[in-house]
């Protein structure tokens, strides 16, 4: 149920964003049964080859000091916790 509500909310945000940026234009004309015309923007996707500088990454072994954590049980502690007394 939550997933459906989240998806509906995201869809509403996308529609509002498209209307705000002008990618979708809706015009409603009045009358008994209003007609709606919609004009949408165009998005083109393609590829182009360019020569760019790419950084290189070098891997090497280095000795570093790392923090450690050591946990010790308190003396006399049991393996299972005891529940708190009821009030």
């Amino acid at each position: 149920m939550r997933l459906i509500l989240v998806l509906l909310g995201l869809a509403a945000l996308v529609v509002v964003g498209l209307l705000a940026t002008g990618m979708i234009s809706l015009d409603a004309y009045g009358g008994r049964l209003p007609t709606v015309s919609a004009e949408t923007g165009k998005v083109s996707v393609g590829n182009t080859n360019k020569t760019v500088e790419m950084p290189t990454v070098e891997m090497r072994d280095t000795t570093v000091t790392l923090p450690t954590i050591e946990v010790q049980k308190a003396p006399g502690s049991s393996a299972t916790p005891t529940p708190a007394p009821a009030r």
Side-chain angles (χ1 to χ4, degrees), residues 14-68:
V14 167
V15 169
V16 168
L18 291 172
L19 286 171
T21 58
M23 290 299 292
I24 295 178
S25 174
L26 297 176
D27 294 320
Y29 303 105
R32 286 192 178 177
L33 295 173
T35 60
V36 176
S37 66
E39 295 182 22
T40 60
K42 182 179 178 184
V43 176
S44 298
V45 178
N47 295 323
T48 183
N49 292 326
K50 295 280 184 181
T51 303
V52 295
E53 282 189 36
M54 295 293 292
T56 58
V57 178
E58 177 184 328
M59 300 296 289
R60 59 189 167 118
D61 293 331
T62 303
T63 303
V64 295
T65 303
L66 300 175
T68 58

Side-chain angles (χ1 to χ4, degrees), residues 69-85:
I69 298 175
E70 185 177 325
V71 178
Q72 297 177 353
K73 287 186 178 181
S77 66
S78 63
T80 58
T82 54

